[in-house]
Amino acid sequence: MAVSYAVQDGVALVTFENPPVNGLNHATRSGIVEAVRRAQDDAQVVAIVLTGGGSVFSGGADITEFNTPAAIAEPNLHTVIAAVESSTKPVVAAVNKLAMGGGLELALGAHYRVATPDAQVALPEVKIGLLPGAGGTQRLPRAIGLGIALKMIVGGEPVAASKLAGGQLFDEIVEGDFIAGAVAFARQAAARGALPRVREREIAAGDAHAVFAQAREQIAQAAKHFPAPGKCIESVEHGQQHGFDAGLVRERECFAELLESPESRALRHAFFGERAASKIPDVPSNTPARPIREVGVIGAGTMGGGITMNFINAGLPVVLVETKQDALDRGLATIRKNYERNVKSGKLTAEQLESRMALIRSSLSFDDLKSADLIIEAVFEELSVKKQVFEKIDAIAKAGAILASNTSTLDVDKIAAFTKRPEDVVGMHFFSPANVMKLLEVVRGEKTAKDVLATVMVLAKKIRKTAVVSGVCDGFIGNRMVEQYVRQALEMLEEGGLPEQIDKAIEQFGFAMGPFRMSDLAGNDIGWAIRKRRSIENPSLVYSKIADRLCEDGRFGQKTGGGWYDYQAGDRTAHPSKRVDDMIVAYSAETGKARRTLADAEIVERLVFALVNEGAKILEEGIASKASDIDMVYLTGYGFPLFRGGPMLYADMVGLGHVKQAMERYAAATGDTFWSKPATLLTELAAQGRRFNG
Ligand code: NAD
């Protein structure tokens, strides 16, 4: 039973229940309409209390119904709200803890609202590129005034019910027994006899013109790529100028437009992709996680420090182990400095800083890792060093401890084989800066146990990371794909492009930073070292030497005052470099390539489709289990524009047939075998007119 009906003291108590957050699915909506109707005919009933069973009122639409016919089947939410609003007996929405989206819209349709003292309300639809489509843009301004309503609708952030008490949104904040308080309030409401409706109120607007102008100014930056905030304002403004019914019509029109927009599709994809990433096809969701009460981190360098911060931020104690005291001191000082910056900006108090630092036990002895439930190594990227470290921790770690490597390029199966417990070994590939970046690639070795994966996925949530599982391959999901992207960028330099043009073209597409500016920021020497190592491992490896030339010239990037661009001391602004541009032109001549003008559209396609094709291979090989996982890696770790939804969704939106044709064109124009050998999966899906994402 989604909705229960009981009569208490002459008040019909209608409780809807659809765990975990009482999403308003079809059964719940039907049940509410039915219960409200029943109460009209129930002679002993003088008023109705509508509330959510379990711990919340309602989180809004049921996301499991999204994109299914049930989502819009009658009674839809409009019909439910109309049934509530037109009740001949007063309806009191009793908001326990949370009313979001459709849940708040439903409450706004009631004649009265009461809330628990801790209740929060929000209209967060804008975050998935939509607007509240069940009257929220019309009723909320009438309930709480234009300025604050616009802020809530356009920003999507939750607001404490207590801030909206005193007749604005909530008629009463009920202390003590909530249901008893709500029922008592409903009896008083019945005695009053009135049936106040939010839709009949005037909007308290003040200088409406100024409020709308200010709201538009505030969204100007985001509005370049996201239409939803502007549509929210348009819908509210229409209702303010032309009345409730006309506003409702405009709200529906705007909602329908947004629903079809690529930006909303991208945002919804990211929203669902995040949830889907935590589900691993062959690991049942009820797999018990191992308890993690203490974490060991080995190496207090760039990554080890950031990794440590993640855990102490979440209240988990960390044992931080180094080989030398000075390295340990440097690592701890960097962590402290990071927190001090947060204290300065007001994000953290000085006490919080100290209590976090107190969670770190630093040591020069591996013996101190004995009690850790999870040990993550972030030592030098050399297999021999990893071997030494894993043999040591295998001898020390307690039974059942998870042994993780933060390696970005080494084979996790080889690392696991250094231990007698490969089933406990997993890759936890954090991204730099590890305390900031959302992405965590969880690298599943051949023998990694399912409960180890389940544990790491749970832990990732605790430390607020987006965890995506990758199989073992060179570069895992993200770096393997980015290698093809960078390769295309370098090829295009040889063919006629210059760093500034290539960067600008892809930044115009929406990337935060083009490949050359990015490389200058990270340090060109990192890739150089990897290329050198690979050339030794595989002497027949063929690659463009243009980036090596740059490094041979000492141009490692921002840190050396020059890379692909020139930099002035203390300034990160990239200035095109004549020296580098001349070097590029000379290199083209040397390699016998006639330079030509590259169109920006070609630059964008070659960079993005390089990602797409490698992504298709990654899917085909089962390195990623679904296309949305690849998109999550790119959205959270590589600055792929959110409004485009990730490389695989972008390819789906432009059409895989289009991608395939473009690849054929580039194969003919460049002779590059990368383009003439498209991934089998891409070829097959394109031929069938299908998509990567379902
Ligand atoms: P780093 O050089 O900044 O730090 C490595 C630290 O490990 C040093 O402080 C060193 O003293 C310590 N160390 C070395 N051998 C040790 C041992 N046997 N026992 C204890 N401590 C030891 O390196 P980093 O950039 O932090 O990289 C660490 C790991 O993280 C590497 O595997 C790297 O591939 C990976 N990674 C780095 C990045 C990045 O952007 N820097 C990103 C993802 C992953």
Side-chain angles (χ1 to χ4, degrees), residues 343-375:
V343 171
K344 242 186 211 154
S345 67
K347 279 193 205 135
L348 209 67
T349 64
E351 293 76 46
Q352 282 169 325
L353 180 160
E354 292 309 332
S355 61
R356 287 194 193 176
M357 291 305 292
L359 285 172
I360 306 176
R361 187 155 55 94
S362 61
S363 167
L364 294 177
S365 164
F366 271 56
D367 277 346
D368 283 321
L369 294 165
K370 263 187 192 147
S371 51
D373 303 295
L374 161 70
I375 301 172

Side-chain angles (χ1 to χ4, degrees), residues 458-534:
V458 169
L459 192 64
K461 244 184 220 155
K462 191 163 183 183
I463 60 170
R464 296 164 176 235
K465 298 287 172 196
T466 300
V468 176
V469 175
S470 168
V472 174
C473 68
D474 198 352
F476 314 130
I477 296 173
N479 284 345
R480 174 170 157 182
M481 285 167 68
V482 93
E483 190 169 331
Q484 296 304 333
Y485 167 92
V486 169
R487 209 176 69 83
Q488 282 305 315
L490 296 174
E491 289 290 330
M492 286 190 280
L493 284 187
E494 288 188 32
E495 289 173 33
L498 289 173
E500 193 192 16
Q501 186 202 0
I502 294 171
D503 279 349
K504 273 204 172 139
I506 198 71
E507 284 162 15
Q508 197 64 34
F509 174 81
F511 270 80
M513 218 182 262
F516 298 106
R517 285 215 292 137
M518 177 55 93
S519 189
D520 274 358
L521 175 67
N524 299 316
D525 50 324
I526 297 177
W528 194 30
I530 295 174
R531 290 193 296 278
K532 278 196 235 173
R533 197 190 73 213
R534 286 197 179 145

Side-chain angles (χ1 to χ4, degrees), residues 281-451:
D282 65 332
V283 178
S285 58
N286 59 359
T287 305
R290 300 184 187 181
I292 305 290
R293 297 187 192 94
E294 184 182 85
V295 178
V297 175
I298 309 175
T302 310
M303 295 306 289
I307 293 170
T308 299
M309 289 177 73
N310 284 309
F311 293 108
I312 57 177
N313 288 348
L316 274 168
V318 171
V319 186
L320 181 59
V321 176
E322 259 290 349
T323 43
K324 294 202 183 83
Q325 189 62 45
D326 62 335
L328 197 50
D329 291 343
R330 235 178 298 127
L332 288 168
T334 307
I335 295 175
R336 181 172 279 279
K337 220 179 344 169
N338 279 333
Y339 282 133
E340 275 166 358
R341 222 172 289 140
N342 293 343
V343 171
K344 242 186 211 154
S345 67
K347 279 193 205 135
L348 209 67
T349 64
E351 293 76 46
Q352 282 169 325
L353 180 160
E354 292 309 332
S355 61
R356 287 194 193 176
M357 291 305 292
L359 285 172
I360 306 176
R361 187 155 55 94
S362 61
S363 167
L364 294 177
S365 164
F366 271 56
D367 277 346
D368 283 321
L369 294 165
K370 263 187 192 147
S371 51
D373 303 295
L374 161 70
I375 301 172
I376 306 173
E377 69 74 19
V379 301
F380 300 138
E381 185 74 342
E382 268 174 46
L383 200 60
S384 58
V385 183
K386 305 286 189 198
K387 179 170 190 278
Q388 225 180 40
V389 166
F390 272 85
E391 282 173 353
K392 256 170 136 178
I393 51 179
D394 190 25
I396 286 163
K398 67 181 182 188
I402 295 174
L403 314 182
S405 172
N406 183 45
T407 181
S408 24
T409 56
L410 301 173
D411 184 334
V412 171
D413 288 328
K414 275 191 191 156
I415 293 176
F418 297 143
T419 72
K420 292 186 204 74
R421 38 176 140 175
E423 67 283 1
D424 291 338
V425 177
V426 67
M428 287 178 77
H429 185 212
F430 289 85
F431 286 71
S432 181
N435 54 316
V436 176
M437 295 293 289
K438 282 280 287 173
L439 179 60
L440 173 66
E441 276 182 328
V442 175
V443 187
R444 177 179 192 168
E446 203 190 336
K447 298 196 173 143
T448 307
K450 290 184 180 179
D451 69 332

